[in-house]
Amino acid sequence: MLASTHSAASEPAETLTVMGGGLVGCLLALYLARHGHSVEVFERRPDLRGSTTVEARSINLALSDRGWRALEGVGIAEAVREVAIPMRGRMMHDAAGQLTFQPYGQAGQAIYSVSRAGLNRRMLDLVEQEPNVRVQFNQRCQHVDVRRRQLELRDETTRETRTVPYQRLFGADGAYSAVRAALQRTDRFNYSQHYLDYGYKELTIEAGPDGSWALEKNALHIWPRGQYMMIALPNLDGSFNCTLYFPYEGPNSFAALQTPAQVRAFFAEHFADALPLMPALETEFFANPTSSLVTVRCFPWTYADDVLLLGDASHAIVPFYGQGMNAGFEDCTVLAELLDRHGNNWEALLREFETSRKPDADAMADLAVYNFHEMRDRVADPRFLLQKKIEGKISAQYPDKWLPLYSQVTFSHLPYAEALANGQAQEQIMQRLMPSITTEADYEQPEVQALVAAEMAQRP
Amino acid sequence: MLASTHSAASEPAETLTVMGGGLVGCLLALYLARHGHSVEVFERRPDLRGSTTVEARSINLALSDRGWRALEGVGIAEAVREVAIPMRGRMMHDAAGQLTFQPYGQAGQAIYSVSRAGLNRRMLDLVEQEPNVRVQFNQRCQHVDVRRRQLELRDETTRETRTVPYQRLFGADGAYSAVRAALQRTDRFNYSQHYLDYGYKELTIEAGPDGSWALEKNALHIWPRGQYMMIALPNLDGSFNCTLYFPYEGPNSFAALQTPAQVRAFFAEHFADALPLMPALETEFFANPTSSLVTVRCFPWTYADDVLLLGDASHAIVPFYGQGMNAGFEDCTVLAELLDRHGNNWEALLREFETSRKPDADAMADLAVYNFHEMRDRVADPRFLLQKKIEGKISAQYPDKWLPLYSQVTFSHLPYAEALANGQAQEQIMQRLMPSITTEADYEQPEVQALVAAEMAQRP
């Protein structure tokens, strides 16, 4: 057994297997290769970069600080920044088409709209330039035998099935992970998959004829409607990718919208300012799938000292905090730090990874569901928006004592579990302060200033 | 579509498929056959009744009122009663070997120790006498294609795999259900499997040389030790089946007992009165497996109107309330009542079954974990035992207002969810009364009687 702290340079390289060539799988492969290992990546889908691959829909993701740091760690951040669109705040659209802008953070802070497929392509390019990494596409993992350490892979082009041994296996194969499915059948594997009663549908706001943006470009647009909402993220070509988050059943639901006329009438009533910008609405509504929203939790994330789950495979979350990809990328940052510290002492490395990271993954899953309620409902409440403004003032006045929860999650590298705990403590303080506050200006009142000072005096 | 209420007699019989020939599968097959259907049962294991089948260990179960009612519904109760041993209460063994007896209910009430294998054999005999039921053994379900409605079965004797279509499929195939595994891969299937950090090990207290019982026969024996415990249930031959519930890790744990000498020393210290009755202790401890304790929850319990999960397949629970089998049997009672009411309107039947029964299954799962803490820890506390005695007095004085939780679960047919809610309300009353009570006799004090009367006046 190796000592638990030593430099990676002294370690013999191993051949490592990564299941999944998506965003997390690619980034992980880069980190493992940079630590001196040979890496074999198996991806179920065809190569995204192939000329025959037509993307039906281009999903956008919100890249934020944790994701950027992970990309910087392998030198890819600058290239991505060129194709990313900063979104500096939420632009709320009320039913009358009135707009309210709420900044996400301080001046200069933003989250970034990036195309999932575009990012994945760029990362595959980088992975292929890495001499120690080999990616094989069209490799469906049909079975993992964790006791014998072998994979059963089906080549989707030749339809042939082969058995491939592995030394160490990293499951970065997403929310429906085949590696996790194998772990689920082992004894004492805790597991849950929980679906919201909401589905989502992707729609499009078209670009203007001159390639301009029909809505404010540098914002994440939200149409909050209480029990449901639509959001829109900007694309480079002037269009926006919209997502309708909507109940499966009930009076306003996917089940209730069965005809193009019903869809148009519904949008005309509830999303009136967006409707003229969505000429393909009815076609897209019935052509695009209704997708479900799952939270996956499990533990352990390892099997013996030769299997590890990362990203959505171990902690798939709902998309409402824009942290799914960022959390998966941060897994890579955490793992890289442990590779530096533990070298090839995989037993120590894997134990520390799963025990230190699991509370953060659980906290992020809770935060993501929490933000769904905030986005669809609370952001339309003037009192809630006032509270957010007051929070901003507290944070500006007491920068060492107060960082809004959203900023802790999005613009810091504080562990998610700490962010959640801080956020809950801050929310309790706001619940005590807000009864004394009616307008933004009230914050300057001496009695409010005294209340705030008293609360701040009790914070570390 | 058929009307939702009508008599079963008017319905055409269907051919129904039951996966699993265990306790719930057999009982279910009987109920379905008695409702006029043809039933095909597939069981993974060999026929328990075969002369070549040697049972390594005979597990005992505690049959109580819900189970008896379900057995009575198909006329098997009296035959089972002949081989069941009534256990009228808990017999607690403290570290010094002192005994304390706590009755489970009123005079005449008991739970019954039965051999799982013996009960299963008897039920298989009954199933085979039913002209409309056919049981096939050694049929491993490798895959269920719920969209095409077909099973992939592997005959464990011939090793041949075949595809078998089904009209309607009942998954009564236990905690590791193959039918449920297929449902888990369908969209929006909520699922969790959660393990306790405890395992269990089966051990034996030998019969006396004359076939007598070395401990009180008509009791469930408990050695409560705070963080762990042992229990023992009587067998007809004078022996007791013991189960040690023990942490996997920690100072007192399976991990800490690695040698026969360590096991003997541990039992000598903590189970001193049992040790002389367990001559095979060390052999059994290392020969018998350490088994895990899982709670499984899922929803829906159906797929379309042609698949239904029952018993452990939809709600596996930990064994500490002795309700796993009873809950599965009660599923059959509930289903039989719906068959009477809905006939072949399977859509209405399945929807009502899962929506009405799911809250009860969840409540029972919670109660089972709750009782683990009570059994291993609280039953050794004199204040807790005093509280139980006071509860008995309240129940005797106000029989229409108060039934102890244990009796609601064990000796009534009240839905589990109602029992749990009632039990929680009663516990809150006890928390208010107990500070005024130091001894059993205090119950008769006028001020205590006044407090109790005031609480009872507020109950329906």
Side-chain angles (χ1 to χ4, degrees), chain A residues 184 187-195 248 292, chain B residues 184 187-195 248 292:
Chain A
Q184 196 200 314
D187 196 26
R188 297 176 66 201
F189 185 76
N190 291 313
Y191 175 73
S192 76
Q193 59 186 42
H194 184 264
Y195 288 84
Y248 276 101
S292 56
Chain B
Q184 196 201 312
D187 195 26
R188 298 176 66 201
F189 186 76
N190 291 314
Y191 175 73
S192 77
Q193 60 186 40
H194 185 264
Y195 288 84
Y248 276 101
S292 55

Side-chain angles (χ1 to χ4, degrees), chain A residues 210-232:
Chain A
D210 52 354
S212 65
W213 287 269
L215 303 173
E216 164 61 43
K217 174 188 175 189
N218 294 119
L220 188 154
H221 294 264
I222 311 183
W223 290 258
R225 295 294 181 266
Q227 291 307 301
Y228 56 93
M229 69 170 174
M230 183 166 73
I231 69 170

